[in-house]
Amino acid sequence: NAGVTQTPKFQVLKTGQSMTLQCAQDMNHNSMYWYRQDPGMGLRLIYYSASEGTTDKGEVPNGYNVSRLNKREFSLRLESAAPSQTSVYFCASSISVSGNTIYFGEGSWLTVV
Amino acid sequence: EDKVVQSPLSLVVHEGDTVTLNCSYEVTNFRSLLWYKQEKKAPTFLFMLTSSGIEKKSGRLSSILDKKELFSILNITATQTGDSAIYLCAVNTGNQFYFGTGTSLTVIP
């Protein structure tokens, strides 16, 4: 069971570079999320997609864009990376935004130098 | 503003001890409260609570919700080194999941 798969697992970027984090789920979930996790800050929501064709900002959307490519895939793009975006990024999915449980990918460790 | 607060932020105990982790919340629309365990990688699901006063139990872990006082506790009895992790609390409001900062638990042999 793959669940939620995100790539890459590790990435080092230079300031100003762009990159896209990919995420796919095989659980037929309607809702998908991108979180970042920083020490002492917990999981903070960047963007979410309640259903295919919709995306909404979360708590910390600045510097990011997202695309809900289809029901399975939800990508996160950093257009011009900054050191403040050094973090661990988690993609997650749930049956719906009011769904019982949210399932996480393994995480992507991003360092911006 | 919806928020979830966990305490303590960190905890160090010896094997065999019992620990209680706290999660309080202030949200506009409560649907459910969830507990997760996070070791090196992705958070893994432990419990979901929706009703007050009903204890959920799994082995040495148990959790209960108080919707009147707006909090939940996670108890771990007879702790083991494998319980060392960050424990996350999340509240679903019907349109988002709000996470607390987590409690980092370290169990010393």
Side-chain angles (χ1 to χ4, degrees):
Chain A
N1 292 333
V4 180
T5 304
Q6 55 181 108
T7 57
K9 286 191 167 40
F10 300 95
Q11 184 73 48
V12 178
L13 284 178
K14 292 183 179 178
T15 297
Q17 285 186 320
S18 62
M19 77 159 296
T20 300
L21 298 175
Q22 307 284 356
C23 176
Q25 51 89 12
D26 63 2
M27 296 176 282
N28 201 33
H29 285 171
N30 292 299
S31 303
M32 298 184 74
Y33 313 81
W34 277 105
Y35 288 89
R36 60 178 289 174
Q37 187 175 35
D38 303 291
M41 304 291 287
L43 282 163
R44 293 184 292 168
L45 183 65
I46 304 171
Y47 272 92
Y48 69 103
S49 172
S51 60
E52 187 179 355
T54 70
T55 60
D56 285 287
K57 295 178 181 179
E59 182 184 353
V60 287
N62 291 344
Y64 305 95
N65 284 303
V66 291
S67 294
R68 184 75 184 266
L69 304 169
N70 48 55
K71 190 172 185 179
R72 289 187 64 247
E73 298 173 287
F74 188 40
S75 63
L76 177 72
R77 182 160 178 84
L78 286 70
E79 291 291 351
S80 178
S84 61
Q85 293 178 304
T86 294
S87 188
V88 183
Y89 292 84
F90 287 99
C91 178
S93 71
S94 63
I95 291 174
S96 70
V97 288
S98 59
N100 292 342
T101 311
I102 184 170
Y103 296 87
F104 288 88
E106 294 282 288
S108 296
W109 273 253
L110 177 65
T111 301
V112 183
V113 297
Chain B
E1 182 183 337
D2 294 333
K3 64 179 180 180
V4 177
V5 178
Q6 292 185 247
S7 64
L9 289 181
S10 65
L11 197 53
V12 180
V13 301
H14 289 96
E15 265 192 324
D17 288 350
T18 293
V19 298
T20 298
L21 310 183
N22 303 292
C23 175
S24 63
Y25 60 91
E26 289 180 33
V27 297
T28 50
N29 182 32
F30 177 89
R31 295 291 294 265
S32 61
L33 186 144
L34 303 98
W35 283 97
Y36 286 82
K37 178 182 181 182
Q38 184 179 23
E39 295 175 89
K40 297 294 185 188
K41 296 183 178 178
T44 54
F45 175 75
L46 293 174
F47 298 112
M48 186 189 73
L49 302 136
T50 56
S51 302
S52 264
I54 298 175
E55 186 182 49
K56 291 282 183 86
K57 199 169 170 65
S58 176
R60 296 176 294 103
L61 278 67
S62 64
S63 183
I64 198 161
L65 174 67
D66 186 329
K67 289 171 75 174
K68 182 179 176 186
E69 299 298 328
L70 309 182
F71 77 91
S72 173
I73 61 172
L74 175 68
N75 279 321
I76 309 175
T77 59
T79 51
Q80 302 171 357
T81 55
D83 295 326
S84 295
I86 296 173
Y87 290 84
L88 296 164
C89 170
V91 172
N92 182 266
T93 61
N95 64 358
Q96 282 192 33
F97 291 84
Y98 289 90
F99 283 83
T101 54
T103 293
S104 176
L105 174 65
T106 303
V107 182
I108 299 170

